[in-house]
Amino acid sequence: MRFQALILSLYEQHEPPAAIAPPPEPEPPSQELVLHQEAKSGWRAVPKKHERKPREPRAPKVKMPEPPPPPPAPVPQANIPSWASWRPNPLYHPQPRQAAAPAPPPGLFGPPSPPPR
């Protein structure tokens, strides 16, 4: 009830809005101010294509003689060792690598704290 009374009191305080006058008639544009003309129709006349003259027959092309076949591939040498006969080089002795990074500190955020007494 209080809400309705508040709405009614606010409604009574305000005057109804005055009638709004219609907008004035727009003036016809003068010839000097016309920036664009009315667009032409989208349909256009398409000129008819002229008939082509028949082509004269061309002289046949002279084919070039075929090139000679390529020479045969060279035969691989028989003294090349295969992977099955591979032996390690006696002059090369690889050594295992030492760890480059130091060991991480214990615990997630450093050394653990001593236990309570």
Side-chain angles (χ1 to χ4, degrees), residues 32-52:
E32 297 171 0
L33 296 178
V34 173
L35 297 177
H36 62 344
Q37 299 290 333
E38 186 174 328
K40 293 182 180 180
S41 169
W43 296 100
R44 300 282 186 255
V46 178
K48 203 171 196 178
K49 292 184 178 180
H50 63 279
E51 293 183 18
R52 291 187 174 185

Side-chain angles (χ1 to χ4, degrees), residues 1-73:
M1 286 305 259
R2 294 179 101 192
F3 181 69
Q4 290 177 347
L6 176 65
I7 296 295
L8 287 175
S9 67
L10 290 175
Y11 183 73
E12 292 171 358
Q13 290 176 2
H14 294 287
E15 296 177 8
I20 299 174
E25 294 282 332
E27 296 179 14
S30 66
Q31 292 293 5
E32 297 171 0
L33 296 178
V34 173
L35 297 177
H36 62 344
Q37 299 290 333
E38 186 174 328
K40 293 182 180 180
S41 169
W43 296 100
R44 300 282 186 255
V46 178
K48 203 171 196 178
K49 292 184 178 180
H50 63 279
E51 293 183 18
R52 291 187 174 185
K53 297 178 185 176
R55 290 188 174 187
E56 297 178 10
R58 294 183 180 177
K61 292 185 177 180
V62 178
K63 291 187 176 181
M64 299 294 289
E66 292 187 18

